[in-house]
Amino acid sequence: ATRTKSADVERADSGIGQMPARKWRNRASETLSSLQAWEAHRPCTDCGERDLPAETDVQNCNQRRADLCEKCRKRRTERKESVLEFVNTEASYGEDLRIIKEEFYLPMQVAGLLSQEQLQGIFSNIQELIDLNENFLEILQEEIDQAFDQGDDDLMTVCIGEIFLEFVNMLPAFQTYCLQQSSSVNMLNALEKEKELLRIFLNVSQNDNTALRRMNLRSFLMAPLQRVTKYPLLLSRIIKATTEYHPDHGSLREAKSRIESHLEHINMKTKQEGNTWTLRSFRQDSKKKREVINIEMRETALKTVGWLREETRFVMEGSLQLAQPPDGQWVKKGSKTLKFQNMQVLLLVNMKRVSESSLESAEPGPVKDAVLVLIRDKNNGKFHLLREPLRLSNCIVSTDPDCDDTFELIEIRREAFVFRDSDRARTHHWFRQIRRYSRELGSWKKRRNALPNIMISTPHTRP
């Protein structure tokens, strides 16, 4: 009986007394009220404002899209529509490219209507544009599908700007096609007048082939020009609907600037070649003008070294001051005794291709070669090389503590050059980059400090 009574005894209070327990319950109730009030007026996750509409029931609260204000809801909707428009129009453009190849190029080639040289003259690098479009569209579609799979119905994780910059190599391909467009149309007109079978084929295709939508070959050949001029408009729409805090905002602006610079460069090239047509013009600013100049220099450098575009990476480019010391005593006298001249310098690296794709890989292969291209400032509207490119595999790069505002590049058994930038920190950056590739590629790269052994030959005499 004693054991049963002791087992039935239980504590009914919390152990802290009635007054503290009441205060604790009151404080918990106040805290809960504060949390509910904050929950009702929590800030928008996009802009931080507190103008969220009041929710009337649990169902509306559950349907709330990530606690967005009305303004940000509309912005997200506009951004999603702009992103989908970009992807869908890219797919439509790709379909037009495939029509050019499958409904015109291949039938004309199989039937022998035109020679291979004539086909190349009319259709230019259409196959390169097709390959680029397929790869670009594949990545875009994968990003869209992945966003939907992860529950991102607003496509906020899709970064069009970053993807566009990864495929920036397609811009020179557009340039090649656009610059040949005038001669392609002229050749097509001349051949159509000359060859009756070609004229019949084109007329029948336009009228009877439903895939062509009653459009002629000339209309389809304009598709790349129309597409490249539409990129800035599509990117502008996405930028307008993308908050500045979004991780893709900066890439979107850079992508828009890059495409506009290429369009200005294409217009400039067409004027130089005497063509009357131009692509859509955009307002130029100093940054775009500099980018156009950089495009010209890259083309000059690439043509000089003869490398494939997809295997070439431009590591650094810009203006440097260059001097050629007459002897090795200039360090003791100081760099003030040297006569410097302004020069445009480009550091190019040739990377081994890791796949057969025509695009640059995200993981570049090993370095095959690296050169410095020295270009004089513009004269008569054109760039001119100072000399043949300096191959870093044959160069030694060094600096001296007494002249830390310069660095010296010695081409083995030939010449020596002293470089400097107006900014000392940038001079050091140039030095580190050039020395890096010189050490990687030099035949002495495994030796200490990447310096060659110095062989001193002295006559041996017997006593």
Side-chain angles (χ1 to χ4, degrees):
T2 305
R3 288 196 298 270
T4 303
K5 289 182 179 179
S6 62
D8 290 341
V9 176
E10 295 181 0
R11 295 189 65 93
D13 62 345
S14 61
I16 58 176
Q18 294 183 353
M19 291 299 295
R22 190 179 301 114
K23 291 181 179 179
W24 179 263
R25 286 194 297 270
N26 292 338
R27 182 174 299 177
S29 177
E30 293 175 0
T31 303
L32 180 60
S33 300
S34 300
L35 288 174
Q36 291 175 344
W38 182 87
E39 181 72 20
H41 301 285
R42 70 169 61 181
C44 172
T45 56
D46 277 9
C47 65
E49 299 294 333
R50 292 180 178 269
D51 57 348
L52 294 177
E55 303 293 348
T56 57
D57 52 34
V58 177
Q59 183 178 3
N60 290 337
C61 184
N62 293 335
Q63 292 178 351
R64 184 188 300 182
R65 289 165 49 191
D67 301 312
L68 298 174
C69 65
E70 191 64 27
K71 180 180 178 181
C72 290
R73 286 188 187 185
K74 292 181 179 179
R75 177 184 292 174
R76 284 199 176 193
T77 301
E78 292 173 359
R79 186 181 187 278
K80 177 181 179 179
E81 293 174 351
S82 300
V83 169
L84 291 177
E85 181 186 14
F86 188 100
V87 178
N88 293 335
T89 53
E90 186 70 23
S92 299
Y93 160 66
E95 184 61 29
D96 287 343
L97 293 181
R98 285 185 287 276
I99 288 176
I100 293 175
K101 178 182 178 181
E102 297 173 3
E103 305 297 337
F104 290 105
Y105 181 89
L106 291 179
M108 292 164 66
Q109 183 184 47
V110 172
L113 296 178
L114 297 177
S115 65
Q116 192 61 38
E117 182 179 355
Q118 291 169 337
L119 290 172
Q120 179 67 29
I122 293 175
F123 296 96
S124 187
N125 61 330
I126 195 70
Q127 185 58 52
E128 182 182 12
L129 293 177
I130 291 175
D131 295 338
L132 288 167
N133 168 261
E134 289 178 350
N135 290 312
F136 187 35
L137 187 60
E138 181 182 359
I139 298 300
L140 289 173
Q141 196 60 55
E142 286 179 359
E143 290 292 317
I144 297 293
D145 295 341
Q146 183 177 1
F148 282 132
D149 291 342
Q150 294 177 349
D152 178 18
D153 294 334
D154 293 328
L155 303 181
M156 294 298 292
T157 58
V158 177
C159 296
I160 296 293
E162 292 182 5
I163 300 173
F164 193 95
L165 291 177
E166 290 179 4
F167 284 80
V168 75
N169 230 20
M170 64 184 175
L171 298 182
F174 275 109
Q175 175 178 313
T176 300
Y177 186 90
C178 292
L179 293 179
Q180 295 183 10
Q181 178 64 18
S182 180
S183 60
S184 298
V185 173
N186 292 336
M187 178 179 289
L188 178 61
N189 293 336
L191 290 173
E192 192 174 5
K193 293 179 181 179
E194 176 185 343
K195 297 179 178 291
E196 183 178 1
L197 289 178
L198 175 63
R199 185 168 61 254
I200 294 173
F201 168 76
L202 294 177
N203 289 335
V204 171
S205 298
Q206 179 179 351
N207 296 324
D208 298 343
N209 192 339
T210 57
L212 303 187
R213 310 188 299 275
R214 301 190 69 83
M215 294 170 57
N216 56 30
L217 175 58
R218 293 174 185 80
S219 299
F220 282 102
L221 291 177
M222 291 295 295
L225 280 72
Q226 295 168 349
R227 185 58 185 171
V228 73
T229 54
K230 197 173 182 180
Y231 279 134
L233 178 61
L234 294 172
L235 292 172
S236 295
R237 291 176 182 173
I238 301 177
I239 292 172
K240 184 178 179 181
T242 302
T243 176
E244 61 181 356
Y245 304 109
H246 193 279
D248 196 39
H249 191 269
S251 297
L252 285 167
R253 289 192 172 277
E254 183 180 355
K256 180 174 178 287
S257 178
R258 295 285 291 273
I259 183 63
E260 289 180 355
S261 299
H262 269 272
L263 292 177
E264 292 295 344
H265 178 63
I266 293 173
N267 284 338
M268 182 190 64
K269 297 286 286 186
T270 56
K271 291 179 182 178
Q272 291 177 355
E273 296 178 5
N275 295 326
T276 56
W277 66 272
T278 57
L279 297 174
R280 178 185 175 188
S281 298
F282 297 87
R283 184 180 63 184
Q284 289 191 8
D285 54 26
S286 58
K287 182 179 179 180
K288 290 188 178 64
K289 290 180 180 178
R290 289 195 302 269
E291 181 63 23
V292 170
I293 293 175
N294 291 341
I295 294 172
E296 289 185 76
M297 289 194 300
R298 292 173 201 152
E299 286 189 346
T300 301
L302 204 58
K303 185 177 180 180
T304 301
V305 297
W307 296 345
L308 294 176
R309 184 192 307 133
E310 58 269 19
E311 295 182 359
T312 304
R313 186 160 63 92
F314 294 88
V315 179
M316 289 192 70
E317 56 189 24
S319 178
L320 283 178
Q321 294 180 348
L322 177 146
Q324 291 184 269
D327 52 43
Q329 302 299 318
W330 68 273
V331 175
K332 296 181 180 180
K333 300 176 183 178
S335 59
K336 294 182 179 180
T337 61
L338 298 176
K339 184 178 180 180
F340 286 89
Q341 57 179 323
N342 292 325
M343 194 70 52
Q344 298 294 332
V345 182
L346 293 90
L347 173 56
L348 282 69
V349 174
N350 192 4
M351 314 294 292
K352 290 182 180 179
R353 298 174 66 178
V354 296
S355 66
E356 295 301 322
S357 172
S358 60
L359 302 174
E360 290 181 351
S361 173
E363 294 294 334
V367 177
K368 290 196 298 185
D369 201 356
V371 298
L372 273 186
V373 179
L374 309 180
I375 301 178
R376 298 181 185 273
D377 286 336
K378 256 190 172 182
N379 186 16
N380 297 327
K382 293 184 179 181
F383 288 108
H384 298 280
L385 296 176
L386 174 68
R387 63 187 306 284
E388 68 272 12
L390 291 167
R391 298 201 173 274
L392 297 187
S393 58
N394 298 327
C395 296
I396 301 173
V397 187
S398 60
T399 186
D400 191 281
D402 296 331
C403 299
D404 62 346
D405 61 336
T406 61
F407 65 90
E408 187 174 23
L409 185 146
I410 301 176
E411 191 178 16
I412 300 174
R413 294 187 296 273
R414 295 193 65 180
E415 299 175 275
F417 301 89
V418 177
F419 293 95
R420 72 180 181 187
D421 193 280
S422 55
D423 180 55
R424 183 170 298 186
R426 187 162 174 81
T427 300
H428 294 166
H429 185 53
W430 272 100
F431 166 68
R432 288 191 297 269
Q433 290 289 339
I434 295 174
R435 182 181 60 176
R436 168 192 169 188
Y437 292 106
S438 174
R439 288 180 171 180
E440 285 187 9
L441 295 167
S443 57
W444 53 86
K445 61 183 179 181
K446 295 183 179 179
R447 301 175 187 171
R448 185 178 180 183
N449 295 327
L451 293 177
N453 289 335
I454 301 176
M455 306 299 294
I456 302 178
S457 178
T458 57
H460 295 276
T461 57
R462 295 177 180 239

PDB file of all heavy atoms in Angstrom, residues 101-122:
ATOM      1  N   LYS A 101      19.675  24.773 -95.115  1.00  0.00           N
ATOM      2  CA  LYS A 101      20.543  23.646 -95.458  1.00  0.00           C
ATOM      3  C   LYS A 101      19.779  22.507 -96.126  1.00  0.00           C
ATOM      4  O   LYS A 101      20.190  22.000 -97.184  1.00  0.00           O
ATOM      5  CB  LYS A 101      21.245  23.133 -94.195  1.00  0.00           C
ATOM      6  CG  LYS A 101      22.135  21.928 -94.436  1.00  0.00           C
ATOM      7  CD  LYS A 101      22.772  21.421 -93.155  1.00  0.00           C
ATOM      8  CE  LYS A 101      23.621  20.182 -93.416  1.00  0.00           C
ATOM      9  NZ  LYS A 101      24.239  19.659 -92.175  1.00  0.00           N
ATOM     10  N   GLU A 102      18.653  22.093 -95.521  1.00  0.00           N
ATOM     11  CA  GLU A 102      17.970  20.886 -95.976  1.00  0.00           C
ATOM     12  C   GLU A 102      17.077  21.111 -97.182  1.00  0.00           C
ATOM     13  O   GLU A 102      16.877  20.190 -97.988  1.00  0.00           O
ATOM     14  CB  GLU A 102      17.147  20.307 -94.817  1.00  0.00           C
ATOM     15  CG  GLU A 102      18.004  19.860 -93.630  1.00  0.00           C
ATOM     16  CD  GLU A 102      17.169  19.442 -92.435  1.00  0.00           C
ATOM     17  OE1 GLU A 102      15.922  19.447 -92.569  1.00  0.00           O
ATOM     18  OE2 GLU A 102      17.756  19.132 -91.382  1.00  0.00           O
ATOM     19  N   GLU A 103      16.512  22.312 -97.336  1.00  0.00           N
ATOM     20  CA  GLU A 103      15.583  22.562 -98.430  1.00  0.00           C
ATOM     21  C   GLU A 103      16.217  23.287 -99.609  1.00  0.00           C
ATOM     22  O   GLU A 103      15.624  23.325-100.691  1.00  0.00           O
ATOM     23  CB  GLU A 103      14.379  23.381 -97.919  1.00  0.00           C
ATOM     24  CG  GLU A 103      13.662  22.769 -96.733  1.00  0.00           C
ATOM     25  CD  GLU A 103      13.041  21.419 -97.046  1.00  0.00           C
ATOM     26  OE1 GLU A 103      12.769  21.152 -98.245  1.00  0.00           O
ATOM     27  OE2 GLU A 103      12.836  20.620 -96.113  1.00  0.00           O
ATOM     28  N   PHE A 104      17.404  23.864 -99.399  1.00  0.00           N
ATOM     29  CA  PHE A 104      18.059  24.588-100.496  1.00  0.00           C
ATOM     30  C   PHE A 104      19.458  24.042-100.786  1.00  0.00           C
ATOM     31  O   PHE A 104      19.738  23.583-101.890  1.00  0.00           O
ATOM     32  CB  PHE A 104      18.134  26.085-100.175  1.00  0.00           C
ATOM     33  CG  PHE A 104      16.812  26.778-100.199  1.00  0.00           C
ATOM     34  CD1 PHE A 104      16.178  27.133 -99.027  1.00  0.00           C
ATOM     35  CD2 PHE A 104      16.178  27.069-101.402  1.00  0.00           C
ATOM     36  CE1 PHE A 104      14.953  27.770 -99.046  1.00  0.00           C
ATOM     37  CE2 PHE A 104      14.955  27.711-101.440  1.00  0.00           C
ATOM     38  CZ  PHE A 104      14.336  28.069-100.258  1.00  0.00           C
ATOM     39  N   TYR A 105      20.327  24.099 -99.777  1.00  0.00           N
ATOM     40  CA  TYR A 105      21.727  23.757-100.008  1.00  0.00           C
ATOM     41  C   TYR A 105      21.890  22.313-100.481  1.00  0.00           C
ATOM     42  O   TYR A 105      22.484  22.051-101.526  1.00  0.00           O
ATOM     43  CB  TYR A 105      22.534  24.000 -98.731  1.00  0.00           C
ATOM     44  CG  TYR A 105      24.009  23.690 -98.858  1.00  0.00           C
ATOM     45  CD1 TYR A 105      24.907  24.672 -99.277  1.00  0.00           C
ATOM     46  CD2 TYR A 105      24.507  22.424 -98.566  1.00  0.00           C
ATOM     47  CE1 TYR A 105      26.254  24.393 -99.395  1.00  0.00           C
ATOM     48  CE2 TYR A 105      25.851  22.139 -98.687  1.00  0.00           C
ATOM     49  CZ  TYR A 105      26.722  23.126 -99.091  1.00  0.00           C
ATOM     50  OH  TYR A 105      28.058  22.839 -99.225  1.00  0.00           O
ATOM     51  N   LEU A 106      21.371  21.357 -99.696  1.00  0.00           N
ATOM     52  CA  LEU A 106      21.566  19.941-100.035  1.00  0.00           C
ATOM     53  C   LEU A 106      20.889  19.554-101.353  1.00  0.00           C
ATOM     54  O   LEU A 106      21.512  18.869-102.182  1.00  0.00           O
ATOM     55  CB  LEU A 106      21.073  19.061 -98.890  1.00  0.00           C
ATOM     56  CG  LEU A 106      21.900  19.121 -97.599  1.00  0.00           C
ATOM     57  CD1 LEU A 106      21.296  18.227 -96.517  1.00  0.00           C
ATOM     58  CD2 LEU A 106      23.345  18.736 -97.856  1.00  0.00           C
ATOM     59  N   PRO A 107      19.619  19.947-101.606  1.00  0.00           N
ATOM     60  CA  PRO A 107      19.029  19.611-102.913  1.00  0.00           C
ATOM     61  C   PRO A 107      19.790  20.200-104.093  1.00  0.00           C
ATOM     62  O   PRO A 107      19.953  19.533-105.128  1.00  0.00           O
ATOM     63  CB  PRO A 107      17.614  20.194-102.819  1.00  0.00           C
ATOM     64  CG  PRO A 107      17.305  20.217-101.364  1.00  0.00           C
ATOM     65  CD  PRO A 107      18.605  20.522-100.700  1.00  0.00           C
ATOM     66  N   MET A 108      20.269  21.420-103.967  1.00  0.00           N
ATOM     67  CA  MET A 108      21.036  22.034-105.049  1.00  0.00           C
ATOM     68  C   MET A 108      22.375  21.333-105.247  1.00  0.00           C
ATOM     69  O   MET A 108      22.868  21.194-106.366  1.00  0.00           O
ATOM     70  CB  MET A 108      21.239  23.529-104.751  1.00  0.00           C
ATOM     71  CG  MET A 108      19.938  24.333-104.806  1.00  0.00           C
ATOM     72  SD  MET A 108      20.046  25.968-104.031  1.00  0.00           S
ATOM     73  CE  MET A 108      21.187  26.784-105.118  1.00  0.00           C
ATOM     74  N   GLN A 109      22.946  20.854-104.132  1.00  0.00           N
ATOM     75  CA  GLN A 109      24.216  20.133-104.229  1.00  0.00           C
ATOM     76  C   GLN A 109      24.018  18.762-104.869  1.00  0.00           C
ATOM     77  O   GLN A 109      24.788  18.354-105.755  1.00  0.00           O
ATOM     78  CB  GLN A 109      24.826  19.987-102.837  1.00  0.00           C
ATOM     79  CG  GLN A 109      26.190  19.321-102.809  1.00  0.00           C
ATOM     80  CD  GLN A 109      26.699  19.113-101.393  1.00  0.00           C
ATOM     81  OE1 GLN A 109      25.952  18.639-100.534  1.00  0.00           O
ATOM     82  NE2 GLN A 109      27.954  19.465-101.149  1.00  0.00           N
ATOM     83  N   VAL A 110      22.985  18.025-104.446  1.00  0.00           N
ATOM     84  CA  VAL A 110      22.731  16.688-104.980  1.00  0.00           C
ATOM     85  C   VAL A 110      22.362  16.751-106.462  1.00  0.00           C
ATOM     86  O   VAL A 110      22.805  15.924-107.273  1.00  0.00           O
ATOM     87  CB  VAL A 110      21.621  15.997-104.167  1.00  0.00           C
ATOM     88  CG1 VAL A 110      21.205  14.676-104.825  1.00  0.00           C
ATOM     89  CG2 VAL A 110      22.084  15.752-102.733  1.00  0.00           C
ATOM     90  N   ALA A 111      21.544  17.737-106.831  1.00  0.00           N
ATOM     91  CA  ALA A 111      21.110  17.857-108.229  1.00  0.00           C
ATOM     92  C   ALA A 111      22.191  18.429-109.132  1.00  0.00           C
ATOM     93  O   ALA A 111      22.027  18.422-110.357  1.00  0.00           O
ATOM     94  CB  ALA A 111      19.851  18.717-108.301  1.00  0.00           C
ATOM     95  N   GLY A 112      23.259  18.922-108.556  1.00  0.00           N
ATOM     96  CA  GLY A 112      24.327  19.491-109.362  1.00  0.00           C
ATOM     97  C   GLY A 112      23.961  20.809-110.007  1.00  0.00           C
ATOM     98  O   GLY A 112      24.510  21.169-111.057  1.00  0.00           O
ATOM     99  N   LEU A 113      23.023  21.552-109.404  1.00  0.00           N
ATOM    100  CA  LEU A 113      22.626  22.836-109.970  1.00  0.00           C
ATOM    101  C   LEU A 113      23.750  23.858-109.905  1.00  0.00           C
ATOM    102  O   LEU A 113      23.851  24.733-110.772  1.00  0.00           O
ATOM    103  CB  LEU A 113      21.390  23.371-109.234  1.00  0.00           C
ATOM    104  CG  LEU A 113      20.115  22.529-109.356  1.00  0.00           C
ATOM    105  CD1 LEU A 113      18.993  23.155-108.550  1.00  0.00           C
ATOM    106  CD2 LEU A 113      19.707  22.404-110.826  1.00  0.00           C
ATOM    107  N   LEU A 114      24.579  23.775-108.863  1.00  0.00           N
ATOM    108  CA  LEU A 114      25.682  24.713-108.690  1.00  0.00           C
ATOM    109  C   LEU A 114      26.926  23.942-108.286  1.00  0.00           C
ATOM    110  O   LEU A 114      26.852  22.859-107.686  1.00  0.00           O
ATOM    111  CB  LEU A 114      25.355  25.755-107.614  1.00  0.00           C
ATOM    112  CG  LEU A 114      24.176  26.694-107.878  1.00  0.00           C
ATOM    113  CD1 LEU A 114      23.958  27.606-106.677  1.00  0.00           C
ATOM    114  CD2 LEU A 114      24.385  27.518-109.139  1.00  0.00           C
ATOM    115  N   SER A 115      28.072  24.518-108.584  1.00  0.00           N
ATOM    116  CA  SER A 115      29.338  23.923-108.171  1.00  0.00           C
ATOM    117  C   SER A 115      29.553  24.173-106.685  1.00  0.00           C
ATOM    118  O   SER A 115      28.873  25.009-106.062  1.00  0.00           O
ATOM    119  CB  SER A 115      30.490  24.511-108.976  1.00  0.00           C
ATOM    120  OG  SER A 115      30.637  25.902-108.689  1.00  0.00           O
ATOM    121  N   GLN A 116      30.513  23.452-106.107  1.00  0.00           N
ATOM    122  CA  GLN A 116      30.803  23.629-104.686  1.00  0.00           C
ATOM    123  C   GLN A 116      31.280  25.040-104.394  1.00  0.00           C
ATOM    124  O   GLN A 116      30.948  25.621-103.351  1.00  0.00           O
ATOM    125  CB  GLN A 116      31.847  22.607-104.232  1.00  0.00           C
ATOM    126  CG  GLN A 116      32.017  22.510-102.730  1.00  0.00           C
ATOM    127  CD  GLN A 116      30.736  22.080-102.035  1.00  0.00           C
ATOM    128  OE1 GLN A 116      29.989  21.234-102.532  1.00  0.00           O
ATOM    129  NE2 GLN A 116      30.468  22.660-100.871  1.00  0.00           N
ATOM    130  N   GLU A 117      32.033  25.609-105.285  1.00  0.00           N
ATOM    131  CA  GLU A 117      32.507  26.987-105.095  1.00  0.00           C
ATOM    132  C   GLU A 117      31.346  27.970-105.119  1.00  0.00           C
ATOM    133  O   GLU A 117      31.304  28.923-104.325  1.00  0.00           O
ATOM    134  CB  GLU A 117      33.522  27.334-106.187  1.00  0.00           C
ATOM    135  CG  GLU A 117      34.115  28.725-106.042  1.00  0.00           C
ATOM    136  CD  GLU A 117      35.128  29.024-107.129  1.00  0.00           C
ATOM    137  OE1 GLU A 117      35.434  28.119-107.938  1.00  0.00           O
ATOM    138  OE2 GLU A 117      35.619  30.169-107.173  1.00  0.00           O
ATOM    139  N   GLN A 118      30.386  27.756-106.019  1.00  0.00           N
ATOM    140  CA  GLN A 118      29.219  28.639-106.075  1.00  0.00           C
ATOM    141  C   GLN A 118      28.342  28.485-104.838  1.00  0.00           C
ATOM    142  O   GLN A 118      27.818  29.472-104.315  1.00  0.00           O
ATOM    143  CB  GLN A 118      28.421  28.335-107.346  1.00  0.00           C
ATOM    144  CG  GLN A 118      29.136  28.740-108.623  1.00  0.00           C
ATOM    145  CD  GLN A 118      28.465  28.196-109.863  1.00  0.00           C
ATOM    146  OE1 GLN A 118      27.737  27.189-109.819  1.00  0.00           O
ATOM    147  NE2 GLN A 118      28.690  28.844-111.003  1.00  0.00           N
ATOM    148  N   LEU A 119      28.174  27.247-104.371  1.00  0.00           N
ATOM    149  CA  LEU A 119      27.413  27.029-103.140  1.00  0.00           C
ATOM    150  C   LEU A 119      28.073  27.721-101.956  1.00  0.00           C
ATOM    151  O   LEU A 119      27.403  28.320-101.115  1.00  0.00           O
ATOM    152  CB  LEU A 119      27.283  25.527-102.870  1.00  0.00           C
ATOM    153  CG  LEU A 119      26.372  24.735-103.817  1.00  0.00           C
ATOM    154  CD1 LEU A 119      26.507  23.246-103.550  1.00  0.00           C
ATOM    155  CD2 LEU A 119      24.920  25.169-103.654  1.00  0.00           C
ATOM    156  N   GLN A 120      29.396  27.637-101.881  1.00  0.00           N
ATOM    157  CA  GLN A 120      30.126  28.292-100.797  1.00  0.00           C
ATOM    158  C   GLN A 120      29.955  29.805-100.874  1.00  0.00           C
ATOM    159  O   GLN A 120      29.822  30.481 -99.848  1.00  0.00           O
ATOM    160  CB  GLN A 120      31.608  27.924-100.872  1.00  0.00           C
ATOM    161  CG  GLN A 120      32.479  28.562 -99.809  1.00  0.00           C
ATOM    162  CD  GLN A 120      32.153  28.060 -98.416  1.00  0.00           C
ATOM    163  OE1 GLN A 120      31.702  26.927 -98.262  1.00  0.00           O
ATOM    164  NE2 GLN A 120      32.377  28.899 -97.413  1.00  0.00           N
ATOM    165  N   GLY A 121      29.934  30.334-102.091  1.00  0.00           N
ATOM    166  CA  GLY A 121      29.762  31.776-102.252  1.00  0.00           C
ATOM    167  C   GLY A 121      28.390  32.264-101.825  1.00  0.00           C
ATOM    168  O   GLY A 121      28.263  33.370-101.292  1.00  0.00           O
ATOM    169  N   ILE A 122      27.356  31.452-102.030  1.00  0.00           N
ATOM    170  CA  ILE A 122      25.991  31.867-101.683  1.00  0.00           C
ATOM    171  C   ILE A 122      25.691  31.622-100.210  1.00  0.00           C
ATOM    172  O   ILE A 122      25.138  32.490 -99.526  1.00  0.00           O
ATOM    173  CB  ILE A 122      24.968  31.118-102.568  1.00  0.00           C
ATOM    174  CG1 ILE A 122      25.116  31.563-104.027  1.00  0.00           C
ATOM    175  CG2 ILE A 122      23.542  31.365-102.079  1.00  0.00           C
ATOM    176  CD1 ILE A 122      24.234  30.799-104.991  1.00  0.00           C
TER     177      ILE A 122
END
